Amino acid sequence: MILIDSSCRGTLYQDLCFRCLRKFSNFTIDGPQHLAHVALSVSLYKALDTRGYLLKVAKEFEAIKDNTLVYKTVLDCVKQITDSVDELSQAIKELRRLNKNNNSGINDDFLWHISNVETWVSTALTDASYCVESFPGHRMSKRTAAIKVKAKNVAEVTSNALALFHRYASRYRAAAEARNLIYLLSLVLGNGLRIS
């Protein structure tokens, strides 16, 4: 519980982070990487749930054939949230690869996997945010407002998952930078050059 609370304080949507992740406090979350994995899984679950809801709403709008603009916007949102589902799935797969390669220490391959996870999650966040922005303004039907709320929830939990992953990855980046600095210093000092 302490790890969840301290980690959620570093996210943009702290209350949402607490609500989503405290459910898992009875499970053994054994560190920042596992917490990031749980947060990504929550994002994927929310994206899948939202996609299912959007598909149902799209069928209803198609049957009504009343508001083609809203129908097209919903279809566009379905595509964006489907992309988010795919990207979050890829991020989770990449995180698993990261787990497998963790034994070999911090090397370029390890950092490459970290970068891939960040790219997938950032793209998923962009896609979910695009869906939210597809419904501008304040005057909208209850159904349209519900779509916007669900898509916004996906974007917010994904933002939190990205922040939690950044927190996990930052220590490895710092270690890699220190390693590179030591290597450069050894080259400079090994060549008899002085640092002014």
Side-chain angles (χ1 to χ4, degrees):
M1 191 69 139
I2 294 168
L3 175 64
I4 292 171
D5 287 353
S6 64
S7 299
C8 282
R9 283 191 191 95
T11 63
L12 278 177
Y13 308 100
Q14 294 178 17
D15 291 342
L16 180 62
C17 185
F18 295 137
R19 278 196 317 272
C20 289
L21 296 179
R22 279 189 179 151
K23 302 173 197 176
F24 300 96
S25 62
N26 292 337
F27 298 95
T28 305
I29 295 179
D30 60 0
Q33 183 179 16
H34 190 204
L35 183 61
H37 190 266
V38 170
L40 285 171
S41 298
V42 167
S43 296
L44 178 58
Y45 170 79
K46 297 278 187 185
L48 285 165
D49 182 60
T50 299
R51 181 178 67 180
Y53 178 77
L54 287 170
L55 288 168
K56 182 179 145 206
V57 170
K59 282 184 183 176
E60 290 172 11
F61 276 124
E62 185 180 31
I64 295 170
K65 295 182 182 173
D66 184 28
N67 194 336
T68 55
L69 179 61
V70 174
Y71 172 64
K72 287 178 182 176
T73 305
V74 171
L75 284 182
D76 197 33
C77 252
V78 169
K79 182 186 178 322
Q80 297 304 321
I81 296 297
T82 298
D83 288 347
S84 287
V85 166
D86 294 342
E87 290 145 3
L88 289 166
S89 298
Q90 290 297 330
I92 290 170
K93 286 178 189 172
E94 198 69 32
L95 187 54
R96 287 189 188 124
R97 288 185 198 108
L98 192 59
N99 288 341
K100 289 178 185 174
N101 291 340
N102 202 8
N103 297 334
S104 58
I106 302 165
N107 55 31
D108 289 341
D109 191 46
F110 186 80
L111 295 173
W112 181 73
H113 287 297
I114 284 177
S115 178
N116 287 345
V117 173
E118 289 172 332
T119 299
W120 286 119
V121 181
S122 295
T123 308
L125 174 57
T126 300
D127 286 330
S129 298
Y130 180 82
C131 179
V132 174
E133 292 161 10
S134 297
F135 297 98
H138 301 290
R139 295 184 62 184
M140 56 182 78
S141 69
K142 286 182 182 178
R143 181 57 64 93
T144 308
I147 292 169
K148 188 169 184 173
V149 166
K150 282 186 163 288
K152 189 170 183 266
N153 187 256
V154 172
E156 289 175 356
V157 295
T158 303
S159 169
N160 286 346
L162 183 59
L164 294 173
F165 184 78
H166 279 317
R167 182 178 179 174
Y168 157 73
S170 66
R171 68 180 188 175
Y172 291 104
R173 285 221 167 87
E177 286 173 14
R179 181 198 65 192
N180 291 341
L181 183 60
I182 290 168
Y183 175 73
L184 288 172
L185 284 173
S186 69
L187 286 176
V188 169
L189 296 174
N191 286 329
L193 298 173
R194 294 188 181 201
I195 302 172
S196 53

